[in-house]
Amino acid sequence: MDRMASSRRDLAVRASVDQGLLTPAEPVVALLDTAGVRASAAALTSAFAAVTDAPVLHAFAVKAAPLVPVLRLLHEAGLGAEVASPGELALARAAGIPSTHTVLDSPAKTPAELRQALALGIAVNADNLQELARLDALVASAPTASPLGLRVNPQVGAGSIGSLSTATATSKFGVALRDEGARAAVVQAFLDRPWLTRLHTHTGSQGVPLALMAEGIGEAYTLAEEVNRAAGGQRIDTLDIGGGLPVNFDSDEETPTYAEYARLLADTVPGLFDGRYRLVTEFGRSLLAKHGTVLARVEYTKTSGGRPIAVTHAGVQLATRTVYAPESWPLRVLAYDSEGRPHTAESTVQDVAGPACFAGDLLATSRKLPLLSPGDVVAVPDTGAYYFAHHYAYNSLPRPGVHGFTVADDGAVTFATVRTPQTLAEIVADSGGAHADALVRQPGPGTTSGSGGPAVRLP
């Protein structure tokens, strides 16, 4: 994010107060800078275009921001979708993303999911050899236009966040290439299946260095070359190299860049870009994170143990990873006054807490910020991916409204609704409100009920 982007954010914070998006009645709201999203999409496509003439499908990882208007915006910017569930596929279809620009990845696809994908012509990456056997039967039973691939785990090691590292020795994803006999089994799987033409790997994620990401892709490329030699021709014609470019959460600077990553791949795996392979990428967090901001009003302030605490309406329901794993997922907090202007009060070490009823619901601990007061606004940047789009319904706290914004040359801010705030009626409906009497109508202990008949009391 450049200085212009941070200036757009300041204008949007002020406008959210002036235009009534953030109010005492709606004390938390999420903003998305659409110009920033478009810029990231352009940076991605241009970075790969600079190093290869090969066809590249950039499939946005829907899990990073499962919001239909966001998917439509990225589709208009030239990106497809990588989906990992029937729900994500439904979102991609609702956004108008064509089957030819959609890739299905998941370690637990059901037969119904596979049949749907094959009927639609969606690209499918099998996660394991058992899934390939399932695809054997499905491909034999009905013709399909779906490109089909296999995911492999190069087992090159973990990054700094173990739970997100997908290329460890014991990762649940893909066929583990370094396990005894696995590599030979993968080669044979391709030789036995003329319809199996893609190889997929995904090493990157937050906390994974670029060099390790490139090493994993290099392993997959080497395997593709081995398969093609064994087949006596180009059996594998597409390499899906995944995504996972890390995001800088420490400042507004966007590092690393797609251009740096593409150049590293060109230097370390030059054959990847020589035109013999079509390419697929699956970036998610890096396209959206820097362009999202959560805004929350400060409801109360207090002092405990000599340290000021600002109690806000943004916490675990929006920043789940940060609250439960703050060392791995620290977020910045920016202070604005009650009118949405950058705060000018003297800085003081303080905690910024969320509204949930447990002690650990903290956005920041011992953070030096302008001393906050009731009615002030805190902004939590870098939350455009895996934060406000992934609501955690602790305490039945409602999902906030999400609004995209644009800034005109004269500084005027225009908002567009991405997702409306969740109502209390919707919370009740989602929590079984239509079935309030379902349990009290069940037979009591010691009784049984036949089909449609009265309960029978047992002796």
Side-chain angles (χ1 to χ4, degrees), residues 26-27 60 74 81 113-114 128 167 194 211 215 227 247 261 287 298 307 311 370 389 423 425 432 445:
E26 293 289 346
F60 172 70
L74 291 170
E113 288 177 61
L114 290 172
N128 54 70
E215 182 182 350
V227 168
V247 169
Y261 183 47
L287 282 161
V298 176
R307 188 159 68 207
V311 181
T423 66

Side-chain angles (χ1 to χ4, degrees), residues 8 41 44 63 80 106 109 137 142 154 185 218 306 321 336 339 394 398 401:
R8 290 198 302 269
L44 170 59
K63 65 182 72 67
S106 165
K109 306 180 198 73
R321 290 181 173 185
Y336 295 80
E339 296 182 359
Y394 199 101

